[in-house]
Amino acid sequence: MKSFTSTPLLACRLIIAFSIAGLGQGRPSFNRSQTFDAQHYIIRVSFDVSKKTVFGDTTVILKPLATNFRSVELDAVDLKFESVKLEPNGTELKYKTVGEKVIVTLDRAYSADETISIRFKYSASPQKGVYFVPAETAAKRVEHSAQIWTQGEPDEARHWFPSFDFPSDKATTEQYITADKIDSVIGNGELLGKEDVAGGKQTWHYKMPVPHSTYLVSFIIGQYVRIGDKYKDIPLGFYTYPGKEDTARRAFGNSKDMIAVFERATGISFPFNKYDQTVVANFKFGGMENITATTMADSEIFFADFDFGKPIVEDLVSHELAHSWFGNLVTCKNWAELWLNESFATYMEAVYLEQTKGRAAYMQKIRSDADEFLTDDATTKRRHGLYNLRAGEVDKLFDTAAVTYNKGSVVLHMLREEIGTDVFWRAVNKYLNRHSFANVETTDLKAAMEQESGRDLNWFFDQWVYKAGAPRLTISSSYSERSKMLKVTVTQTQKADAIVPAVFRMPFMFVIKTEKGIDSTIKHLSKRSETFLIKPSSKPSVLGTLPTSYDPEDSVPAKSVKILPIKFGQ
């Protein structure tokens, strides 16, 4: 998911089971306990648009994780149940709603080798999850039909179908979506067919055959024009409003090139059987990576009509596409690990630029991410590491996007610089292969990076992932005419606390302008304050660090540096 360019990210509330059990080094775990494994959801929906009502009929197929399994607890917010039955025999089951849950008492105790199917019929007028957007006819905007669309991340699926609504549980899904015959319906996975039903309606049947988290389940209903394209045997669909076909081609036309770049970088073929991108109105994010069917804000995509907006759109399209690997194929196990989805998707924006426009474009994007993070870090009061210890406040999960997105992108760049490009991408390939269609934690990424590099990276992940903040350096220096040596003292001045390190370990390049030209030397920082003796080629005049012309790699851009003038003495 990616934010608007002009508005802050919003998120929705999720109360997660917060475990005090340690996650190594005293870190809490945000994993959610489970008593069953959801296998498959069959979701049937129709609507009363005038009343903004959803009529739902969902079958949840699950397997117990232990014997003597007698009840099922699912997330369900303000769903008005008409019946709850055991399939296929139709046995009525007792149930009760408690807060944001529905608790179903089974007809008997079940063992772990049995499969249970429970069918729920209900209605809802959801405040989240499903959004009804009226037709837009104002001259100031492109006209569009009335729309109905979903948004699931982080915890909105529970507002329109009963589910284990947490990223750690993956299941296959199929949807039967009934809408007016004049409308198009875009859903996850393969369209298996359409069937006319009474009242001028039509039911669309989609099936997603690989397991995925509930927050990725989606549909979009409205009057659309589909522009078709193809990458190898994978159909690509660009859904836009009538009259905006050229805009859609400009916005989405590079999608197949992006897939090719990401396949080469990761060594993993595009994981799914189609990829659709659909514009919607009034979307509160820039885009959302619903599996095989990305939702895009029309306000963002239509920037493609303007030269200044094309880079914005390109980044957005590549970001959401990258989630096919990072977020959809492998998915964060809990919301504290969201950076594994979003940082990689943001970093892949830069990777696409690197492969199509060169290293300078890549570094410009990385430095832009670094600047955005450092600006936020200097002012925010809600600091956290990439591993987000504030993840229990899920209504604020996306408030610190500069950390989860921008800092994370820079950290991945720094990790690549630390262990080397070839090793980095081999490790990414191992990480994706090892955890395909499953869930991941930071420790999984770290293990792959350490195995491929043969190095202990505890220090790197501790300071850049689990801790917060960034190094703030003050550099003073003096030059001795007698010894011809430059004495340089580097002091780390960041305010240290429980989550901000007193000392960041990192390489640091000094750039010295002398009477004969430019000298550069790399030192490795590992103390709060340390002094280095450097012998320049001739008398220095200016001490600097990491300008683009001297260090095109910029291996640690996530830092602030204050350099004092050189003092000269005997």
Side-chain angles (χ1 to χ4, degrees):
M1 184 158 60
K2 191 172 174 71
S3 68
F4 276 124
T5 56
S6 56
T7 58
L9 282 164
L10 302 175
C12 302
R13 180 175 177 79
L14 169 66
I15 300 175
I16 67 172
F18 178 83
S19 169
I20 302 301
L23 183 65
Q25 301 186 29
R27 284 185 287 271
S29 169
F30 290 83
N31 292 334
R32 180 174 170 178
S33 61
Q34 290 182 241
T35 59
F36 63 87
D37 179 21
Q39 303 286 299
H40 186 62
Y41 294 93
I42 304 172
I43 305 165
R44 309 165 187 88
V45 287
S46 60
F47 312 92
D48 183 332
V49 176
S50 64
K51 296 181 179 179
K52 298 184 178 180
T53 299
V54 177
F55 300 103
D57 179 351
T58 295
T59 300
V60 182
I61 302 169
L62 58 89
K63 295 192 74 171
L65 294 177
T67 58
N68 200 33
F69 185 75
R70 294 180 178 272
S71 67
V72 178
E73 181 178 290
L74 293 166
D75 300 304
V77 179
D78 295 332
L79 303 185
K80 298 176 182 178
F81 293 99
E82 299 169 15
S83 66
V84 179
K85 296 181 180 181
L86 191 68
E87 294 274 86
N89 58 24
T91 300
E92 293 275 358
L93 298 175
K94 293 181 180 179
Y95 68 92
K96 61 181 178 180
T97 56
V98 180
E100 297 186 347
K101 308 285 186 182
V102 58
I103 302 171
V104 180
T105 302
L106 299 173
D107 59 327
R108 61 176 175 85
Y110 287 79
S111 63
D113 60 355
E114 294 184 275
T115 299
I116 305 166
S117 297
I118 307 172
R119 187 167 184 171
F120 299 85
K121 292 186 178 181
Y122 54 94
S123 62
S125 298
Q127 300 303 303
K128 298 177 181 179
V130 177
Y131 295 83
F132 295 83
V133 178
E136 175 63 66
T137 58
K140 65 181 180 179
R141 290 190 57 184
V142 174
E143 295 182 3
H144 62 75
S145 69
Q147 301 170 1
I148 310 172
W149 47 260
T150 60
Q151 166 58 25
E153 190 176 22
D155 67 338
E156 297 192 32
R158 64 188 66 188
H159 291 264
W160 66 281
F161 69 96
S163 56
F164 188 92
D165 192 17
F166 197 73
S168 59
D169 191 58
K170 289 192 170 188
T172 55
T173 58
E174 58 186 305
Q175 297 186 70
Y176 295 84
I177 305 160
T178 300
D180 291 337
K181 287 185 71 172
I182 196 173
D183 285 326
S184 298
V185 176
I186 301 96
N188 309 115
E190 183 182 1
L191 176 62
L192 297 183
K194 296 181 283 186
E195 181 181 352
D196 291 344
V197 294
K201 305 284 186 179
Q202 197 170 52
T203 298
W204 299 56
H205 181 196
Y206 281 94
K207 188 170 185 177
M208 190 66 224
V210 297
H212 54 282
S213 302
T214 51
Y215 76 87
L216 297 170
V217 177
S218 70
F219 63 78
I220 296 171
I221 300 171
Q223 295 174 30
Y224 285 95
V225 175
R226 181 185 186 275
I227 299 168
D229 203 348
K230 182 176 282 192
Y231 174 75
K232 297 180 180 177
D233 294 328
I234 300 166
L236 309 178
F238 315 144
Y239 289 85
T240 191
Y241 309 148
K244 295 296 288 184
E245 292 88 344
D246 288 345
T247 303
R249 290 187 183 96
R250 281 190 288 271
F252 302 126
N254 289 335
S255 295
K256 59 186 177 184
D257 297 329
M258 293 174 181
I259 295 175
V261 166
F262 296 161
E263 285 186 340
R264 288 196 300 271
T266 64
I268 304 291
S269 297
F270 183 78
F272 308 112
N273 60 0
K274 75 159 189 182
Y275 188 62
D276 291 335
Q277 298 172 86
T278 307
V279 298
V280 300
N282 300 351
F283 197 57
K284 59 187 176 182
F285 300 105
M288 175 63 208
E289 66 274 14
N290 300 310
I291 193 163
T292 73
T294 289
T295 302
M296 297 288 198
D298 59 6
S299 56
E300 297 287 286
I301 293 301
F302 293 165
F303 275 127
D305 288 336
F306 307 97
D307 287 340
F308 73 86
K310 289 178 182 177
I312 296 170
V313 176
E314 182 177 71
D315 285 349
L316 172 60
V317 172
S318 64
H319 179 104
E320 301 305 337
L321 175 61
H323 275 304
S324 297
W325 290 263
F326 304 99
N328 297 3
L329 176 64
V330 296
T331 309
C332 61
K333 191 173 184 179
N334 61 65
W335 295 121
E337 303 280 16
L338 180 61
W339 83 277
L340 294 169
N341 293 10
E342 298 298 350
S343 298
F344 262 109
T346 307
Y347 179 64
M348 295 305 283
E349 298 173 34
V351 171
Y352 177 69
L353 292 172
E354 180 181 31
Q355 294 301 309
T356 57
K357 299 179 182 178
R359 182 73 179 187
Y362 165 88
M363 284 309 308
Q364 183 177 10
K365 178 66 169 63
I366 294 297
R367 290 189 182 99
S368 174
D369 284 336
D371 289 345
E372 190 158 345
F373 159 62
L374 291 170
T375 298
D376 178 83
D377 188 62
T379 58
T380 187
K381 295 180 179 179
R382 296 192 71 255
R383 300 175 106 186
H384 61 78
L386 290 177
Y387 181 83
N388 187 355
L389 292 176
R390 308 183 76 126
E393 305 173 79
V394 179
D395 57 327
K396 299 180 177 66
L397 189 61
F398 292 94
D399 288 0
T400 47
V403 173
T404 306
Y405 291 67
N406 305 100
K407 176 187 177 182
S409 169
V410 178
V411 167
L412 290 170
H413 161 76
M414 294 191 296
L415 180 57
R416 175 179 162 184
E417 292 297 306
E418 180 67 32
I419 65 176
T421 291
D422 290 344
V423 173
F424 176 84
W425 288 116
R426 287 202 309 269
V428 168
N429 178 267
K430 175 172 284 189
Y431 166 76
L432 292 174
N433 268 313
R434 181 179 287 169
H435 304 288
S436 290
F437 306 110
N439 294 91
V440 288
E441 299 175 274
T442 296
T443 50
D444 298 313
L445 178 65
K446 177 174 173 286
M449 293 291 168
E450 289 186 328
Q451 288 163 14
E452 284 301 314
S453 67
R455 294 176 54 186
D456 181 348
L457 295 172
N458 269 321
W459 66 274
F460 185 95
F461 279 81
D462 181 63
Q463 72 182 27
W464 290 118
V465 176
Y466 292 114
K467 296 292 179 64
R472 298 182 180 278
L473 311 178
T474 297
I475 301 175
S476 60
S477 60
S478 59
Y479 180 71
S480 169
E481 296 281 3
R482 183 180 297 110
S483 66
K484 310 298 183 185
M485 298 294 289
L486 183 66
K487 181 179 180 182
V488 180
T489 299
V490 182
T491 304
Q492 299 195 27
T493 63
Q494 66 273 7
K495 185 178 180 181
D497 56 30
I499 61 171
V500 177
V503 177
F504 282 87
R505 173 178 163 184
M506 60 182 174
F508 189 87
M509 177 176 280
F510 296 98
V511 178
I512 307 163
K513 185 176 180 180
T514 73
E515 293 173 341
K516 293 183 178 180
I518 300 296
D519 294 348
S520 65
T521 184
I522 295 176
K523 302 294 183 181
H524 290 270
L525 308 184
S526 60
K527 298 177 182 178
R528 182 74 173 178
S529 182
E530 50 196 318
T531 299
F532 304 96
L533 290 175
I534 301 171
K535 188 174 182 62
S537 58
S538 59
K539 184 176 180 179
S541 58
V542 176
L543 176 65
T545 179
L546 297 176
T548 303
S549 58
Y550 302 139
D551 184 11
E553 304 306 311
D554 202 351
S555 56
V556 186
K559 64 182 181 300
S560 299
V561 182
K562 179 181 180 180
I563 302 177
L564 304 176
I566 299 172
K567 294 181 179 179
F568 294 91
Q570 295 300 316

